Amino acid sequence: MKFSALFLCFISFVATAQNKLVVKGKLKGLKDSTLVFITDVNNPTDTLAKALAKGERFQMRGDLKEPALVNLDLGADKPIMTFLSNSTVKITGKAGQTDKLKITGSASHKDFVEFQGIFDPIFKRLMTINQQLQYGQRSDSLMEAAIKKRDTIQSEIDRFVAKHTSSPVSAFLLAATFQLNDDVLLAEKRFDQLKPAAINNMYGNFLKETIAEAKITAIGSVAADFTQADTSGNPVTLSSFRGKYVLLDFWASWCGPCRQENPNVVATYQKFSNKNFTVLGVSLDRPGQKDKWLQAIYDDRLTWTHVSDLQFWNNAVAQQYRVQSIPQNFLIGPDGKILAKNLRGPELENKLCEILGCPERKAF
């Protein structure tokens, strides 16, 4: 019984030790009493582990709550940025030669090195091209080179994620490049490939929240349903328009740019209203100013359905659709999916011509 108890304690100790971060180093030329430490890249004031060197060796211990992007400061001018998780890591080489050190024992570090080898040269070249374009060196060849580099980045993202579905570096990569692609459904597809080991961290949480937020108004997503009162106080539901092409148009009587855009919307409505197209206006007019809302509808000849709760920027539908400026619109297809957004001037007519065919011009 005593032996069994001791054995269980030993197993427990080993398991606990394996769930900690241990960084052992042997660097030729590392001076005694050199402070070596690890900090969180996203929170530089957070020291995760530290130690003093002795006899060209050091050993740091820490406890990472999740895999993290860190800086390894080994007494040189330049720290080493990498990914670490709780494991036993060994570092060997010469003090001061951070680019030649050998780091083993961390799968996250290995994946991060691969990530750097693939993406650093591409991003460096794209940055150079963008700077040239920014400072007026515009040419067809430069524009084409920029497009090719962006396409290369997207292709390499797919390859890396497919190869490293369990790596937190994949989640980091998707988070870092999220803004480089407007296709949120593609971002979701990539995210869904990743296993829990890759996304149970701050980068995975960021992606999950950001994708969910972006999908609300993403092209290809189903438009969120809502019900709001029309000018007579009757409830109108967006889903009641299923089967039609609907321009969900956010505006207000007090909005100058909205009123300037209204004639374009009216003209387009008149051209396509007999082609299964309509408009649903959502007004952000102020509380107690229903009369101004109704007057603007009359004056601008907006002969389609209008709804509002007269709560200004707190309009429930505007908040649901994350509307922060007006005019703003969403073109919704018969299946309820968002086809396009923020179509201004001739863009709306051109899009409807593309979808429904242009109305024939009347002969005189």
Side-chain angles (χ1 to χ4, degrees), residues 3 59 75 137 149 163 176 179 183 233 270 281 342:
F3 175 79
Q59 180 168 302
Q137 301 177 33
K149 285 299 175 185
K163 181 180 177 182
Q179 298 297 331
D183 189 348
Q270 291 173 345
N342 294 328

Side-chain angles (χ1 to χ4, degrees), residues 15-30:
T16 302
Q18 289 177 340
N19 289 328
K20 301 290 185 180
L21 172 65
V22 180
V23 180
K24 300 178 180 180
K26 182 180 180 182
L27 304 182
K28 186 176 181 179
L30 184 63

Side-chain angles (χ1 to χ4, degrees), residues 250-263:
F250 291 88
W251 73 295
S253 66
W254 50 261
C255 170
C258 302
R259 305 294 295 274
Q260 293 170 14
E261 180 65 21
N262 277 345

